[in-house]
Amino acid sequence: MDAIAEPPPEEASTIADRVFGQLRQAIVEGGIAPGAKISEPEMAARLGISRGPLREAMRCLESTNLVERRPNLGARVITLSSEQLIEIYLIREALEGLAARLAAERMSAAGIADLKELLAQHRAEIVLECWQAYVQKEGDMDFHYRIVQGSGNQRLIGILCDDLYHLARMYRCKFGMVSDRARDALKEHELILDAIAERDGELAELMMRRHIRASRRNVERRLATDTTTQPRTDP
Amino acid sequence: MDAIAEPPPEEASTIADRVFGQLRQAIVEGGIAPGAKISEPEMAARLGISRGPLREAMRCLESTNLVERRPNLGARVITLSSEQLIEIYLIREALEGLAARLAAERMSAAGIADLKELLAQHRAEIVLECWQAYVQKEGDMDFHYRIVQGSGNQRLIGILCDDLYHLARMYRCKFGMVSDRARDALKEHELILDAIAERDGELAELMMRRHIRASRRNVERRLATDTTTQPRTDP
DNA sequence: TCCATTAAAAGTGTCGACACTTTAGCTAAA
DNA sequence: TTTAGCTAAAGTGTCGACACTTTTAATGGA
């Protein structure tokens, strides 16, 4: 198996940066299993680079909480627990609520129009019966991603888009999340966008928090009852 | 001048980790000026190490947003703007509000007792007329730090204690913040702690958000009127 | 057979050296 | 004098090699 993808079209000017992106993608999408040890000589050989840039990339992965490193013992991909997933939902509720409020105040009219188009497209997909794909595929994250971008708060964008969203995606790839909440989620997205379009920051924040809270409770319910959503423990 | 402190008592087992801590402290406390370029050969020589571990430490500093690195151009300490300071306050309001709510639900009785003692000590200091020191010295941050720790949310702790608090301290070292809000802040702290002690998460969150909002507005007011709090632009 | 000791192998941490890029300074022409 | 081009210096990015630590395997004794 070839767990690490080829250098993506947009080439980073330095090997360490490129490898960081490659490894992050491989980890998030499951190409490198959670808990797996990453041997520096082996990985460097597989990537055709030396250990120097690889170690720099590993440091970045450690800083973004995708690998855990212990001195003299090496690095392992983090393992996913349902507790950590809930932790992330709680943080997202707080931060994306803020993002929605700021987006309502500062997002450009063009950005809002784009989002309306995106939601229209999602609505069409749901009607076409392939609606399971809505939340499952990156449609949901795409919506959230754009609102965070629209907040204009660079540090907020960094925390959510550079760190938490990759983790959230990792969970989605690991647990086979097939959401039954697509219709509700789309409706909630529309309410959020309406509030943003009317520049009602207070309402946008309230709606976003309620939306993420509903997602979290949905996950909590599944975790409590459905054993198939437990993380697989690959040998 | 010797901008970089000696290895702190608690020795990290690897050079890169230790140097990361040293450089972070030097940057936060102003030993290395904002905007200053960090030359790898020069810094490595000053620290008596080679460039390998230094580069790893720089990568970590970049991940924590304390330095900005551009390929082939080197790394510079970030510059502080009042806009970014406000960004941080907004994020803290959201996240520490969450932390206060979780702390009210999960903090140990012993932890609450310790906090009460801390506030009593702060109250005594204020009465002793050296009350300017309260917010200025790390007393304020100490209180916030413990509440975040009390939340038990590991990822929340990481975001606030590993990243944002160092930035906040950097701002405090740079702008000569002599707060006139010590008495108000202490009162607010007491209200927050009361809510936590009564396990009233909703109220604790509300009070914490209000407290941080008040701090932000205080800063905004100063930034608007007082030119002495503008960041110094060292040559 | 089982456990302790020990030697070898693998792996991480660190260093010095080299290639390529960027910058600074200098020369020369307009 | 100014500016364009060129050259040398400095700096970053990358690599291979070595030292020390951890793990594995083997050997020996009980």
Side-chain angles (χ1 to χ4, degrees):
Chain A
M1 70 143 197
D2 191 18
I4 293 97
E6 286 302 299
E10 32 101 8
E11 284 203 36
S13 58
T14 167
I15 293 182
D17 290 329
R18 173 172 56 82
V19 165
F20 167 66
Q22 288 179 249
L23 288 178
R24 180 173 64 181
Q25 185 178 349
I27 291 172
V28 164
E29 296 178 354
I32 308 177
K37 179 161 161 42
I38 297 181
S39 160
E40 291 181 10
E42 177 192 331
M43 184 58 70
R46 189 193 301 187
L47 294 169
I49 63 175
S50 78
R51 284 177 50 221
L54 175 61
R55 282 178 64 87
E56 291 184 28
M58 298 294 295
R59 284 279 181 181
C60 294
L61 290 173
E62 185 192 12
S63 289
T64 53
N65 293 291
L66 286 175
V67 307
E68 286 172 343
R69 200 184 54 81
R70 277 158 59 187
N72 289 314
L73 294 184
R76 309 190 84 91
V77 178
I78 57 164
T79 56
L80 308 171
S81 71
S82 42
E83 287 80 12
Q84 287 183 28
L85 179 59
I86 302 306
E87 284 190 356
I88 291 174
Y89 267 107
L90 289 172
I91 294 172
R92 282 187 55 198
E93 181 180 332
L95 288 185
E96 294 200 35
L98 169 61
R101 173 155 55 93
L102 294 177
E105 297 167 1
R106 289 142 72 157
M107 202 171 187
S108 71
I112 294 176
D114 284 351
L115 263 180
K116 281 185 175 169
E117 196 172 341
L118 181 71
L119 286 193
Q121 183 184 329
H122 288 166
R123 206 178 306 122
E125 286 174 4
I126 288 188
V127 171
L128 286 173
E129 293 302 317
C130 52
W131 52 278
Q132 276 197 345
Y134 180 50
V135 174
Q136 185 182 5
K137 292 167 69 178
E138 310 302 320
D140 180 74
M141 271 303 152
D142 202 8
F143 177 79
H144 288 263
Y145 189 91
R146 294 204 200 183
I147 287 183
V148 172
Q149 295 288 337
S151 77
N153 185 316
Q154 285 306 126
R155 201 159 300 274
L156 185 58
I157 294 171
I159 295 173
L160 284 169
C161 298
D162 293 344
D163 293 352
L164 290 186
Y165 282 177
H166 292 286
L167 276 169
R169 211 159 84 86
M170 187 170 172
Y171 276 93
R172 218 171 314 121
C173 292
K174 190 70 184 168
F175 302 70
M177 290 293 179
V178 181
S179 177
D180 51 355
R181 242 177 56 77
R183 282 199 162 82
D184 291 340
L186 176 58
K187 184 63 188 166
E188 290 160 8
H189 285 182
E190 288 169 343
L191 289 173
I192 294 167
L193 183 55
D194 286 346
I196 291 176
E198 294 190 21
R199 304 302 183 182
D200 187 340
E202 193 178 350
L203 184 61
E205 174 169 9
L206 178 68
M207 288 295 164
M208 179 63 91
R209 293 189 68 124
R210 186 181 288 184
H211 168 57
I212 295 177
R213 206 178 312 139
S215 291
R216 169 169 59 85
R217 293 193 171 140
N218 190 51
V219 168
E220 285 172 338
R221 205 177 320 121
R222 286 164 165 268
L223 287 174
T225 61
D226 185 0
T227 56
T228 64
T229 53
Q230 296 303 316
R232 299 189 292 267
T233 49
D234 299 41
Chain B
M1 67 143 200
D2 191 19
I4 292 99
E6 287 303 299
E10 34 101 7
E11 284 204 35
S13 59
T14 166
I15 293 181
D17 289 330
R18 173 172 56 83
V19 166
F20 168 67
Q22 287 179 251
L23 289 178
R24 180 173 63 181
Q25 185 178 349
I27 290 172
V28 163
E29 296 178 354
I32 308 177
K37 180 162 163 36
I38 298 181
S39 160
E40 291 182 9
E42 178 193 330
M43 184 58 70
R46 189 193 301 188
L47 294 170
I49 63 175
S50 78
R51 283 177 52 222
L54 175 62
R55 283 177 64 87
E56 291 184 28
M58 298 295 294
R59 284 279 181 180
C60 294
L61 289 173
E62 184 193 10
S63 290
T64 52
N65 294 290
L66 286 175
V67 308
E68 286 173 343
R69 199 184 54 83
R70 277 157 59 188
N72 290 312
L73 295 184
R76 310 191 84 91
V77 177
I78 57 164
T79 56
L80 308 171
S81 72
S82 41
E83 288 80 12
Q84 288 183 30
L85 179 59
I86 302 305
E87 284 190 355
I88 292 174
Y89 268 107
L90 289 172
I91 295 172
R92 282 186 56 198
E93 182 182 332
L95 289 185
E96 295 199 35
L98 169 60
R101 174 155 53 93
L102 295 177
E105 298 167 0
R106 288 142 72 158
M107 203 171 185
S108 71
I112 294 176
D114 285 350
L115 263 180
K116 280 186 176 168
E117 194 172 342
L118 181 72
L119 286 193
Q121 183 183 328
H122 288 165
R123 205 178 308 123
E125 287 174 4
I126 287 188
V127 171
L128 286 173
E129 294 301 315
C130 53
W131 51 278
Q132 276 196 345
Y134 180 51
V135 174
Q136 185 181 4
K137 291 166 73 177
E138 310 303 318
D140 181 72
M141 271 304 150
D142 203 8
F143 177 79
H144 287 264
Y145 189 91
R146 294 204 199 183
I147 287 183
V148 172
Q149 294 288 338
S151 77
N153 185 316
Q154 286 307 125
R155 201 160 299 276
L156 185 58
I157 294 172
I159 295 173
L160 283 169
C161 298
D162 294 343
D163 294 351
L164 289 186
Y165 281 177
H166 292 287
L167 276 169
R169 212 159 85 86
M170 187 171 172
Y171 275 92
R172 217 170 316 122
C173 292
K174 189 70 185 170
F175 302 68
M177 290 293 178
V178 181
S179 178
D180 52 354
R181 242 177 57 77
R183 282 200 163 80
D184 291 340
L186 177 58
K187 185 64 188 164
E188 290 160 7
H189 284 183
E190 288 170 342
L191 288 173
I192 293 167
L193 183 54
D194 285 347
I196 291 176
E198 295 190 20
R199 304 300 184 183
D200 187 340
E202 192 178 351
L203 184 60
E205 175 169 8
L206 178 69
M207 287 296 165
M208 179 63 91
R209 292 189 69 122
R210 185 182 288 183
H211 168 57
I212 295 178
R213 205 178 313 139
S215 291
R216 170 168 58 84
R217 291 193 173 140
N218 190 52
V219 169
E220 285 173 338
R221 204 178 321 120
R222 286 166 165 268
L223 288 174
T225 62
D226 186 0
T227 56
T228 64
T229 53
Q230 296 304 314
R232 300 190 292 269
T233 50
D234 300 40

